[in-house]
Amino acid sequence: DRLRSRGLGDVYKRQQLKFPIEIEKIIETTDPVYTFCEVMNHIDLSKYLTTEDRRTGRPRYEEETLLKVILFAFMENGYESLRKIEKLCKTDIRFMWLLQDNPPPSHSTIGNFMNNVLNRKIDEIFADINSYIFTVENVDLNHVYIDGTKIEANANKYSWVWKKSCEKNRLKVFARITELLGEMNEKISSFCVKFGIREEYAIEYLEQIQQQYVKLCGFDPETAIRGRGHHKTIEQRHYDKLSEYISRLKKYAEHIKICGDERNSYSKTDHDATFMRMKKDYMGNDQLLPGYNIQLGVCDEYIAVFDVKQYASDMECFKPLIEKFNQIYEKYPEYPVADAGYGSFNNYLYCEEHGMKKYMKFTMYEKESKDKKYRDDPYRAVNFPIDADGDPICPNGKKFHYLYSRPVRGNKYGRTEEFYQCEDCSNCLQKEKCCKCKGNRKIRLNEELTKFHKEVLCNLNSIHGALLRMNRSIQSEGANGIIKWNRSYTRARRRGSKALNLEIAMICCGFNLHKFHLKKSAIKKSGINLKYFPHFQHGKNAVFVPLCLLYPKFSQNSYFCDLA
């Protein structure tokens, strides 16, 4: 009445909150939350959660509910921040339904649970989710499509530390220490004592020299003169210089230790990140950026295995990824399919040892396959015929004699290269086409690697190999495209390889759950009962199925090929 008397009656309107008693009634039956609950209900989550009762403080939040809320957020949006998950628990009815009358958790509660509990168990949870989905979908684990992508680390772009630079600067410090020790030896020559001069100096050795020099000269570091306008004694100058060199050596030693044996750089703000070249150079100066190499192994459009590595090259990531696959599924894939970044002698030999077929391209695969002039060039060393003694013969009929064998640098499998030299290249009419050297031509060969390359060419250029190459570009690169572009995950949010492993694992869990829901929805829309179509199941020969049975929008001339 008071508002109406003031002319504000139209502004003020009473609004009563109306909320249905059963939230399930207003959630659509095709919503992803039902698919999510179907998978979660078939997994024993209690074995991953904390069972200890807290003696003091507030009672522990129900961890099973927290886990469901987090995984469903990653399923829906690819990646979600802690505060966004907290907001969804307060505003989204699907998250309210998952909470089951529990109060919405705060972002700090979610973060503590992820860091303290989920970080240790996420790999097992990922394996259990895949176990149920792969069983229902009858996923073929013999064909694994492998690809890697680089993710920019959550680190400063200008915080690089280069290992080689530290090693060079350390050698320069050693040279200056040698000059300084010569001056110190002249100072203490009256005591008939002389400090040993070396090419390299240990930090402990220099600290002992510093202590002995203080005792011999009677110099007290606590009474040293500091600041401008004061004249320093020779003893103090020697002491200060040696202290500076020791501190620099400690800094270089720490940098080299953090880099380790397999890296050449790291970031000061994220020690696990390595500087590498990204495909998207938004700085426009071809500058290296701190990042991680994310490896994915895809089976039937599902991510079967993932790995987070610090190597810029994909070659070193193949073996750890396959070993992780074997650890999860207790088998090695029969057909690991990868691009040219994985084709190396080490990886081919690793496949040979574990009974895997070689379907990884090598560096010159495209040229070997498409450039007939290069492939059939008679002057290439690999095309030289071999005589009865095992020696190559050039197109002019000259014999190449064995010189020596040399191990390939950095090869862990003991790969060696054999060097041969032609017996006589003088007065050869084909020398201009054969080589440009002045003396007799030298060649290097590796019979095992050449044999592997021929086997890979035969495998990949077959009909089965062509289908696998096409499928790899669709599945593995498609998974990376969905994660990075469709779901906008182009930069890491957490720092450190362990924290990033948790992040990528949750993204992969969400990816598989979302893919499982999409496939279920597509089958429901088509109205097909799969039990009447046994040719959809894996483990049989390739069968071409009309796509119009699965998706009505396709014409009757479109077919789907089951590669299993």
Side-chain angles (χ1 to χ4, degrees):
D1 295 338
R2 291 179 181 177
L3 292 173
R4 289 193 185 96
S5 63
R6 296 178 184 178
L8 299 175
D10 295 335
V11 178
Y12 176 74
K13 292 181 180 180
R14 290 186 178 182
Q15 293 182 353
Q16 185 178 359
L17 177 63
K18 296 180 180 180
F19 203 77
I21 298 176
E22 297 182 7
I23 302 179
E24 295 182 42
K25 291 184 178 180
I26 59 175
I27 301 178
E28 296 183 2
T29 56
T30 58
D31 196 273
V33 71
Y34 294 116
T35 304
F36 174 78
C37 290
E38 175 193 342
V39 178
M40 291 295 109
N41 291 337
H42 286 84
I43 299 175
D44 183 15
L45 300 177
S46 59
K47 59 184 179 180
Y48 305 123
L49 307 177
T50 306
T51 57
E52 300 177 357
D53 294 331
R54 188 173 293 179
R55 296 181 180 178
T56 59
R58 298 175 62 184
R60 192 188 303 274
Y61 199 94
E62 188 176 345
E63 294 183 345
E64 184 173 343
T65 303
L66 275 177
L67 178 59
K68 290 182 178 180
V69 166
I70 293 169
L71 290 180
F72 183 64
F74 277 81
M75 173 186 176
E76 274 289 272
N77 303 314
Y79 178 85
E80 278 295 4
S81 64
L82 302 181
R83 284 175 171 80
K84 186 64 179 298
I85 296 175
E86 178 186 0
K87 184 178 180 180
L88 289 172
C89 292
K90 296 178 181 178
T91 58
D92 196 318
I93 56 174
R94 299 174 299 173
F95 286 83
M96 295 178 186
W97 182 57
L98 289 176
L99 289 175
Q100 294 294 319
D101 297 330
N102 289 317
S106 64
H107 65 273
S108 59
T109 301
I110 299 172
N112 291 334
F113 171 72
M114 292 172 66
N115 295 329
N116 300 329
V117 179
L118 196 58
N119 198 8
R120 301 192 302 267
K121 301 294 184 179
I122 189 62
D123 290 333
E124 300 175 19
I125 295 172
F126 173 75
D128 278 358
I129 291 174
N130 283 1
S131 177
Y132 173 75
I133 295 177
F134 289 5
T135 302
V136 174
E137 291 287 302
N138 203 3
V139 173
D140 177 26
L141 294 175
N142 287 324
H143 295 80
V144 180
Y145 305 101
I146 301 170
D147 194 20
T149 184
K150 293 181 176 63
I151 294 290
E152 186 180 349
N154 184 11
N156 194 310
K157 301 176 184 61
Y158 301 100
S159 59
W160 53 70
V161 175
W162 306 107
K163 180 180 177 182
K164 293 183 179 179
S165 178
C166 293
E167 292 175 346
K168 291 180 181 178
N169 291 334
R170 189 171 61 170
L171 294 176
K172 293 179 182 179
V173 173
F174 288 154
R176 294 183 180 181
I177 291 174
T178 300
E179 296 178 3
L180 178 61
L181 291 182
E183 297 177 4
M184 294 169 66
N185 286 335
E186 293 179 1
K187 182 64 180 177
I188 61 174
S189 59
S190 59
F191 298 98
C192 298
V193 177
K194 187 177 181 180
F195 297 131
I197 294 177
R198 305 173 181 177
E199 293 183 359
E200 296 183 358
Y201 299 92
I203 297 174
E204 294 79 7
Y205 175 68
L206 296 177
E207 289 177 345
Q208 293 178 2
I209 290 177
Q210 192 178 35
Q211 294 175 2
Q212 294 177 3
Y213 185 75
V214 167
K215 292 179 181 179
L216 292 173
C217 297
F219 171 70
D220 187 5
E222 296 180 358
T223 61
I225 299 173
R226 304 296 177 188
R228 295 182 178 180
H230 299 283
H231 179 72
K232 295 182 181 180
T233 62
I234 297 178
E235 293 83 1
Q236 183 177 348
R237 292 178 184 175
H238 291 166
Y239 180 86
D240 291 345
K241 280 187 178 180
L242 190 57
S243 300
E244 179 188 353
Y245 295 153
I246 290 174
S247 63
R248 289 177 63 180
L249 288 178
K250 287 182 179 179
K251 182 180 68 174
Y252 295 145
E254 182 67 18
H255 290 335
I256 294 172
K257 181 180 178 182
I258 293 174
C259 280
D261 297 333
E262 299 178 348
R263 288 198 300 166
N264 291 323
S265 64
Y266 77 92
S267 173
K268 292 179 182 177
T269 48
D270 185 0
H271 290 179
D272 291 339
T274 306
F275 278 81
M276 55 186 71
R277 186 165 281 105
M278 306 289 178
K279 286 185 178 179
K280 184 178 180 181
D281 182 21
Y282 55 85
M283 302 185 73
N285 55 0
D286 199 32
Q287 180 175 297
L288 302 180
L289 297 175
Y292 293 90
N293 196 344
I294 310 300
Q295 298 290 316
L296 298 181
V298 182
C299 297
D300 287 351
E301 301 181 27
Y302 292 101
I303 298 176
V305 64
F306 69 94
D307 204 3
V308 178
K309 289 299 178 185
Q310 302 167 313
Y311 315 124
S313 173
D314 290 333
M315 288 185 183
E316 302 296 331
C317 304
F318 178 77
K319 182 178 177 181
L321 185 71
I322 298 298
E323 286 296 331
K324 192 172 182 179
F325 182 93
N326 179 47
Q327 183 181 358
I328 297 174
Y329 304 105
E330 297 181 352
K331 61 176 291 186
Y332 289 98
E334 186 176 359
Y335 299 95
V337 187
D339 59 10
Y342 298 85
S344 66
F345 179 81
N346 291 358
N347 293 339
Y348 291 145
L349 196 57
Y350 175 76
C351 292
E352 188 85 13
E353 291 176 353
H354 296 90
M356 294 182 285
K357 304 293 180 62
K358 304 173 190 65
Y359 281 84
M360 298 99 66
K361 298 179 182 178
F362 50 90
T363 307
M364 301 297 292
Y365 168 77
E366 292 294 331
K367 202 164 186 178
E368 287 273 4
S369 302
K370 299 178 181 179
D371 192 346
K372 185 177 180 181
K373 182 179 179 181
Y374 172 80
R375 182 180 65 246
D376 299 334
D377 185 7
Y379 300 103
R380 285 181 61 203
V382 293
N383 293 332
F384 286 176
I386 307 297
D387 64 1
D389 299 330
D391 296 327
I393 304 296
C394 75
N396 196 28
K398 299 294 183 179
K399 189 173 184 179
F400 280 75
H401 295 286
Y402 173 79
L403 293 179
Y404 58 88
S405 298
R406 186 180 66 184
V408 177
R409 182 181 178 185
N411 191 273
K412 300 177 182 179
Y413 282 81
R415 173 187 164 192
T416 59
E417 291 180 332
E418 294 78 27
F419 286 79
Y420 296 85
Q421 187 175 23
C422 183
E423 57 184 1
D424 186 17
C425 286
S426 59
N427 301 324
C428 180
L429 300 177
Q430 305 180 26
K431 187 173 182 180
E432 293 182 359
K433 299 179 181 180
C434 184
C435 69
K436 297 181 180 180
C437 59
K438 294 183 179 180
N440 296 333
R441 181 183 177 184
K442 290 184 180 180
I443 61 173
R444 57 180 181 179
L445 296 173
N446 186 279
E447 295 181 2
E448 292 183 349
L449 184 60
T450 304
K451 180 182 177 183
F452 286 151
H453 284 178
K454 291 181 180 179
E455 182 180 355
V456 171
L457 282 170
C458 181
N459 291 340
L460 293 177
N461 291 333
S462 63
I463 297 177
H464 186 218
L467 290 173
L468 291 182
R469 284 189 284 119
M470 178 186 66
N471 222 14
R472 189 207 69 83
S473 62
I474 295 171
Q475 295 199 28
S476 60
E477 295 183 10
N480 286 326
I482 291 173
I483 291 174
K484 295 184 72 173
W485 303 113
N486 295 8
R487 301 198 145 196
S488 302
Y489 182 75
T490 57
R491 192 170 189 263
R493 271 70 167 186
R494 289 170 173 79
R495 293 182 176 179
S497 57
K498 292 184 179 179
L500 187 60
N501 183 80
L502 168 65
E503 193 170 294
I504 298 298
M506 292 189 295
I507 290 173
C508 292
C509 289
F511 178 90
N512 287 349
L513 290 168
H514 184 68
K515 180 68 69 174
F516 181 57
H517 171 71
L518 292 180
K519 287 193 174 184
K520 284 186 62 179
S521 301
I523 293 172
K524 287 181 180 178
K525 288 180 181 179
S526 64
I528 296 176
N529 192 344
L530 290 183
K531 68 180 181 180
Y532 299 116
F533 294 91
H535 46 261
F536 285 162
Q537 299 180 5
H538 296 278
K540 298 185 179 182
N541 296 329
V543 177
F544 291 90
V545 181
L547 272 175
C548 61
L549 294 178
L550 288 177
Y551 305 99
K553 66 179 181 179
F554 287 96
S555 65
Q556 294 183 356
N557 296 326
S558 301
Y559 291 92
F560 162 77
C561 180
D562 183 6
L563 292 178

